Amino acid sequence: MAKLNPFEVAQQQLDKCAKILRLNPGMHSFLRTPMRELHVSLPVRMDNGSVKVFQGFRVQYNDAKGPTKGGIRFHPEETIDTVRALAAWMTWKCALLDLPLGGGKGGVICNPKEMSQGELERLSRAYIREVCQFIGPSKDVPAPDVYTNPQIMAWMMDEYSKITGKNQFGVITGKPLSIGGSAGREDATARGGMYTIREAAKVLGIDLKKATVAIQGYGNAGYYAARLVEAFFGSRVVALSDSRGGIYSKEGLNPDAVREYKLKTKSVIKFPNTKLISNEELLELEVDILMPAALENVITEKNAANIKAKIIAELANGPTIPEADTILYKNGIHVIPDFLCNAGGVTVSYFEMVQNFYMYYWEEKEVHERLDKKMTTAYHSVLSTSKKYNINMRQAAYVVAVERVVEAIKLRGWV
Ligand code: NAD
């Protein structure tokens, strides 16, 4: 797997867009770097009585369109450049979905799998104590991401509320339902992806009832994608994978049965009556729809030419490197780029903020309807831009998003 710096990938993608839009050099260089970032040291009392100091980050990439928004990752291999890249992608994602938000991201270098609940709570509260001047409902609103969850969001919201002396549900999203969470958040990323697949299939004339699907990664995004692609369209999921490998069945897999099996055995591999395949083989299967839903940099110049899917729906962030994009486009593969395809999560997070401000909560059906409208509109604005400029879907998504951010920056008189 290519070892690429994700921030350099994000900058290269922006550079291509700057050329298409003929951005002036000042604007281009302003958009190439984060507006603000905070690096924090977090001393945390561990269960054995010692104090361990963790490093954390919060990056506010661009807030021209509104308060910055983006998750917090707890990961042993977190780096400031990963956080910068993800904050940049959040900026473009929020603009593309026409949300009144900018882009941000946070991270702490730690291994939550080796920490007790008490240690995780103390770390979460310590993070908020250090960044509390920097965040807030009208400044910067975090959310869960890799290895952070609704419980961690609850502790963080509580710490911020205690520091500011009032209930501040709107400071963070992805909270549990009973303390200001939104209905429909759990499967929002995969559900949003389904709306874009539905639109793409209409455009390409693919009958989704007869379509076959391969999904790489079987976590939150991958599992709900498998369930919903069956439930929405009656498509057949023939391959699934996780970090230990993949499984294939021509007849189709039952997403819930595989999930139960994975909960018991910790992996999808060796699920009865399936053929063992590698993660690399999964990407090159003869299927109609391929959904990368795990890691960055998995579709590269080495395998792009072997991909046979008609649609690649990128639920993961950054699964395709720029060189591969060129090959996929040449081969006529329809890519629904990450910051369009997986934008359902942040869109419902935005709905959560709105409901927190309103103090009035919507039913799940209303959340789904509003999400459908947002995703469908965004998909068609990307498609028509791709046709207008004769560029691939990722470049088109950049054009739509960057134009909106540029307009806000100009109107505010920054550049
Ligand atoms: P998750 O931690 O719930 O699941 C990740 C899955 O990927 C697991 O099944 C894991 O086994 C698998 N995996 C790990 N290493 C792998 C490897 N080398 N090969 C194949 N599979 C591997 O994470 P998630 O929330 O489902 O996120 C997956 C991707 O979707 C990430 O890129 C994330 O940034 C993106 N995403 C998620 C959301 C969301 O709301 N969950 C929103 C936007 C984007």
Side-chain angles (χ1 to χ4, degrees), residues 112-130:
K113 288 183 183 168
E114 291 172 357
M115 295 170 71
S116 70
Q117 284 297 99
E119 289 168 342
L120 275 176
E121 176 173 357
R122 292 193 289 280
L123 175 64
S124 305
R125 291 186 186 274
Y127 181 79
I128 292 301
R129 281 198 299 279
E130 289 310 315

Side-chain angles (χ1 to χ4, degrees), residues 241-275:
S241 72
D242 58 28
S243 56
R244 299 202 195 164
I247 52 174
Y248 175 83
S249 159
K250 197 169 167 229
E251 287 71 42
L253 297 156
N254 176 331
D256 282 310
V258 176
R259 181 169 149 108
E260 265 181 40
Y261 177 84
K262 181 174 162 72
L263 285 175
K264 270 193 225 134
T265 64
K266 306 264 182 268
S267 176
V268 301
I269 60 169
K270 299 193 185 147
F271 183 74
N273 304 321
T274 59
K275 188 178 142 201

Side-chain angles (χ1 to χ4, degrees), residues 302-321:
K302 294 202 182 91
N303 61 6
N306 302 331
I307 290 182
K308 299 167 194 79
K310 299 185 183 87
I311 296 175
I312 300 180
E314 295 182 341
L315 287 173
N317 278 312
T320 307
I321 71 162

Side-chain angles (χ1 to χ4, degrees), residues 92-284:
W92 315 133
K93 195 186 293 192
C94 291
L96 180 61
L97 270 288
D98 220 1
L99 309 178
L101 299 169
K105 205 80 180 188
V108 177
I109 305 172
C110 66
N111 190 350
K113 288 183 183 168
E114 291 172 357
M115 295 170 71
S116 70
Q117 284 297 99
E119 289 168 342
L120 275 176
E121 176 173 357
R122 292 193 289 280
L123 175 64
S124 305
R125 291 186 186 274
Y127 181 79
I128 292 301
R129 281 198 299 279
E130 289 310 315
V131 303
C132 67
Q133 302 295 333
F134 204 59
I135 64 168
S138 54
K139 272 196 205 167
D140 181 13
V141 182
D145 204 283
V146 175
Y147 296 152
T148 52
N149 55 33
Q151 175 60 74
I152 290 176
M153 298 305 108
W155 290 325
M156 289 184 166
M157 179 277 287
D158 181 69
E159 190 68 21
Y160 186 83
S161 296
K162 280 191 176 139
I163 292 168
T164 55
K166 52 191 168 189
N167 274 314
Q168 297 258 30
F169 284 8
V171 72
I172 212 154
T173 59
K175 300 179 294 292
L177 268 181
S178 55
I179 47 170
S182 175
R185 176 64 185 87
E186 209 176 340
D187 68 4
T189 300
R191 185 174 288 269
M194 293 305 123
Y195 298 133
T196 64
I197 290 171
R198 179 192 66 203
E199 296 307 303
K202 275 189 221 160
V203 172
L204 302 172
I206 294 174
D207 180 358
L208 287 174
K209 244 193 237 130
K210 295 187 190 141
T212 50
V213 180
I215 303 175
Q216 182 183 63
Y218 212 50
N220 173 289
Y223 162 63
Y224 283 112
R227 247 181 93 166
L228 293 175
V229 82
E230 266 201 340
F232 270 45
F233 314 121
S235 310
R236 185 157 36 103
V237 179
V238 294
L240 292 171
S241 72
D242 58 28
S243 56
R244 299 202 195 164
I247 52 174
Y248 175 83
S249 159
K250 197 169 167 229
E251 287 71 42
L253 297 156
N254 176 331
D256 282 310
V258 176
R259 181 169 149 108
E260 265 181 40
Y261 177 84
K262 181 174 162 72
L263 285 175
K264 270 193 225 134
T265 64
K266 306 264 182 268
S267 176
V268 301
I269 60 169
K270 299 193 185 147
F271 183 74
N273 304 321
T274 59
K275 188 178 142 201
L276 194 63
I277 55 170
S278 67
N279 265 296
E280 292 72 30
E281 285 169 324
L282 180 141
L283 296 171
E284 298 178 12

Side-chain angles (χ1 to χ4, degrees), residues 2-52:
K3 268 270 171 206
L4 286 176
N5 177 334
F7 188 45
E8 282 171 17
V9 171
Q11 287 183 317
Q12 281 173 28
Q13 292 167 341
L14 175 73
D15 295 345
K16 279 191 189 165
C17 171
K19 262 195 204 144
I20 298 166
L21 286 175
R22 299 203 176 99
L23 283 190
N24 78 51
M27 181 67 81
H28 181 192
S29 89
F30 182 57
L31 293 176
R32 278 189 114 243
T33 47
M35 287 177 67
R36 269 170 243 111
E37 54 185 56
L38 189 64
H39 296 224
V40 292
S41 288
L42 309 169
V44 174
R45 177 81 55 197
M46 306 304 278
D47 289 348
N48 65 8
S50 69
V51 170
K52 193 165 172 185

